[in-house]
Amino acid sequence: MSEPRDLYRGRARCVVKPKDALEVAQVLSLCNAHGVGVVPQGGNTGLVGGQTPDSSGRQILLSLQRLDRIRDVDPRSDAMTLEAGVTLARAQDAAESVDRYFPLSLASEGSCTIGGNLATNAGGVHVLAYGAARDLALGVEVALADGRLLSTLGKLRKDNTGYDLTRLFVGSEGTLGVITAATLKLFPRPRSRAVAFLGVSDPAQALSLLGFVKERAGPGLHAFELVPRIGMDLVLRHIPGARDPLSAVHPWYALVEIAGFAEGEAERIAAATLSQAIDEGFALDAAIAQSLDQAAALWRLRESMSDAQKREGGSIKHDISVPVDRIPEFIAEAGRRIAAHFPQARPVPFGHMGDGNIHYNVSQPVGGDKAAFLARWDEMNEIVHGLVHEFGGSISAEHGIGRMKRDLLARVKDPVALDVMRALKAALDPRGVLNPGKLL
């Protein structure tokens, strides 16, 4: 079995599909007693190998897809409790069924699951306005290695009774316990939405545009995505139906989404703000979607970026974050360092500029040898991740550590923080059966 990028393959002793939290706990208790490793898996959409077993054939794959009940949706408390196997798309639909909004949004939302979203502290396109998965969780139900069930489920917004165990398990990638259910925050449903695509000269102008729009849209600014022209060219070349929304070609673009809580509010704010942005030199051109279909088409340009790169051959990927104000400087310096070591390689940096998360992907040279390029993955990582460290950033913004970045984490994480993480692992999983070989 493998993960979406086919970078990691493994072989499990068997696949276990429990139907509820109690059965998950019983499986863990049995495996713990016999020292058998357990690899939890949700929708198998992770990108760092955290959901794949090793090649030994001795580990058990624990599928959580049968834990798919929506236990409660409460619009008065603005909360819902879902089991780990519920897909993100179903969670969004459950919120909408009671006229509420669940803001976590990922390209894989039709197949990724709530348990995996929380285990990896998934980010997505609306972190700017609502935060990552950790910020959306009110409580979790977790099966521990020894078979006990821990629950912090509940609708309380304020609870200062000791350590915040909910946030401990969110982002732990199945190494401290297996999340079986969660209580999640709901929000008022936006009544209007405006999506715009703007041309800019460079990331520095995009950064200025971000500040300009934030000042005028306030919390209504839901997303601000950075797109390079090279990425646009790849999408237009490889994705059927993709069209350039602007009449002129620009070096860079910003995809902006503004939401409003009254009919027509977002459209009014967007039209006035973006017109003023062009007049005052914060952008070169803009197109505002005039329908839901047009809005979806603009988002498709951004969300097809990775797929388009696959069709160009090898691509070495980095999910990194740096302080927002240093993004232009980082992109420029990374480009210089890569050009010095990988002539003709094509950097394609794009992503969530509003929260500092850039997917710094590098495509192989045109006509180059894919295998030879991908064989230098570690060398490329050294360049990009080394620069991230210099800029005070993170080597993993939203995809997690898994198998891919485990060794790198040990080199860049604060030693005291690593000691605390190892102590937690030893206390909650002394036999090391929970997702062994991942994260730590």
Side-chain angles (χ1 to χ4, degrees), residues 121 319-321 356-358 394-400 405:
N121 187 31
D319 165 47
I320 61 93
S321 64
N357 175 198
I358 297 296
S394 169
I395 60 166
S396 178
E398 62 178 0
H399 292 167
K405 299 180 181 179

Side-chain angles (χ1 to χ4, degrees), residues 118-168:
L118 293 171
T120 58
N121 187 31
V125 298
H126 293 146
V127 171
L128 173 61
Y130 294 97
R134 180 176 285 121
D135 303 297
L136 302 174
L138 290 171
V140 290
E141 176 184 80
V142 181
L144 301 179
D146 61 8
R148 290 179 295 168
L149 277 174
L150 165 70
S151 177
T152 65
L153 296 177
K155 303 171 186 177
L156 298 179
R157 300 294 175 122
K158 292 184 175 181
D159 181 2
N160 285 341
T161 52
Y163 302 133
D164 188 344
L165 299 180
T166 298
R167 295 176 73 87
L168 172 65

